[in-house]
Amino acid sequence: MDSQIPQPSQAPQSSQSPHTFQVDLRGLVDLLSHHLYSSPKVYLRELLQNAVDAITARRAEQPDSPALVRLFAEDGTLRVEDSGIGLTEEDVHSLLATIGRSSKRADGLESARSGFLGQFGIGLLACFVVAERVRVVSRSARTPDAPPVEWTATDDGSYRVRTLPPEARTEPGTTVYLEARPGAADWLAEERVLSLARDFGSLLPYDVRVGDETVTELPAPWDRSYPGPAARRVALARHCHDLFGFTPLDSIELNVPLAGIRGVAYVLPSAVSPAQRAGHRVHLKGMLLTERAEQLLPDWAFFVRCVLDTDSLRPTASRESLYEDETLAGVREALGERIRAWLTGLAAGDPERLGAFLAVHHLGVKSLARHDGEMLRTMLPWLPFETTDGRLSLEEFAQRHPVVHFTRTVEEYRQVAQIASAQGVGVVNGGYTYDTELVEALPSVRPGTVVAELDADTVTAHLDAVDPAVELALSAFLGAARARLDPLGCDVVLRAFHPLSVPALHLDDRAARHEQARADAEEQADDLWAGILGSLRGSAPRARLVLNHLNPLIRRIGSLDDPELIGTATESLYGQALLMAQRPLRPADSALLNRAFMGLLEWATHNDSPEEGPR
């Protein structure tokens, strides 16, 4: 049976021989500088990172070894010295000349890898973004008898290695020499190097200097001791101003020991859009990873800017942003809890500071409260809403009114606010972001509260009816008014209400507006679409123009007997009611306003001459 099983064909031995990828270093440098890294400045971060990792590796074996990094910039060159683990000639060939291999994975270093900054082995390759020649002189601390070694590489992909006499470098460690490529000398200028080193390395755990200038500033501002809370708040505010350019409303401690996170969140002093994602500064084991970490906090916490140091979050390959994984998700939730606890603490013990915060950032808190019942209960007495009683919290408003009426849009609120207030009907403007959701959630945190959406029928029901005899006497006037507004899909109703200064009120709801939009589209469509739109005709109530019988103007207009003049006056009242509600005008409404205005001018300027006769 075995003889019947077909055997795989044997390919020629030569076709199975492995081939090695050929790398165009200049093309790879261009890829790094234009696509992987956001700016050439990252070259200095790579140099600092390699130096710090080398020191970390040496201290894992020799805890008392020195921890020094020195940078010297002069005439388009840069020299970086470290007292780290150093390299042998074998290490140089294995590590420096092999793209993608990291010394952190070399024998003897794996156990200390958790303390390293770098994870991807790109290393010195990034230096070619600003340099056309890189020279490395190193002596191994692990193999003290090994002579110093020199590795020199150029951006065309070639390199050479030679051993040096022992006196060339007497102490373990590494020195890197860069020679600027044409047009990149500014990146190696001393002032630029010092600025970049302080930006990237201010929180590094070792002694880092550029010339005689100290780079590191430890402990971090949030880890320092201060005489008291007020002094701490002032110091952190100064740090925020130096770092982000603004003086914060407050600072929030971000301490998550399980995730190895220490830092601070600064509350922005001015309102920002929830869609604007703030960039946060994240240091990884002291080294600045990114200034634009957008996914660090929950979306609702858009009112803070953070700076923190971590040893648990993973960087991406470029080491300029955070890798989205379960760890980052857990950190995001934990940091959100810290901010939530700060808000709760203000509500419990510092209402003045909370009021100042909510005056600016109530939108962020509302975004949080709509999904968090505990936060809603905590913030309910403080969150401001626009109401017919003024700017109040929902708690205070609900204490004043047995039914909490609300509108879903700002336009609907503007239609009824003045009239509802005069009739004693309490209304909350739910047209702003998150407000409707919070009003509807009110009964869940305040049992027994009645919440109802305000519609045109509810408003009309709160207006006083006119005596039937009076309405009968005005039937001719009302008939002419209704006939004029019928093409606009609007009815005319007579009521008596306050304030007296309002002659007419335009009321509709979303269903009425949708039906009107459908009718307008049907009128303009061809036969096919008109038939389809006609089949969608709804039974929504029409909009209505409520005339105030208590208003003196309405009483005078009601005494007119000329149908044309009644129509013109009705159109004028309709247009004025739309403008008072600040409703967007349709083309038909604009045409009506223009026609009514011209008609009133004609009546106002008309002279009853014999030739023209009375009108």
Side-chain angles (χ1 to χ4, degrees), residues 576-593:
Q576 189 261 356
L578 289 180
L579 294 176
M580 289 293 293
Q582 301 183 40
R583 286 282 306 278
L585 300 180
R586 300 172 297 167
D589 297 331
S590 299
L592 175 144
L593 279 172

Side-chain angles (χ1 to χ4, degrees), residues 89-100:
E89 181 176 0
E90 182 182 356
D91 294 334
V92 166
H93 283 290
S94 175
L95 302 175
L96 297 188
T98 305
I99 297 172

Side-chain angles (χ1 to χ4, degrees), residues 481 484-492 503-508 516 520 543-547 554 557 566-581 583-586 588-593 595-596:
R484 180 58 66 95
L485 294 188
D486 183 68
L488 296 174
C490 183
D491 291 331
V492 178
L505 174 65
H506 181 270
L507 293 176
D508 66 358
Q516 184 60 51
D520 292 343
R544 66 199 69 175
L545 181 69
V546 183
L547 303 181
I554 296 298
I557 294 176
I566 292 174
T568 300
T570 302
E571 289 180 338
S572 300
L573 291 170
Y574 174 83
Q576 189 261 356
L578 289 180
L579 294 176
M580 289 293 293
R583 286 282 306 278
L585 300 180
R586 300 172 297 167
D589 297 331
S590 299
L592 175 144
L593 279 172
R595 182 173 64 250

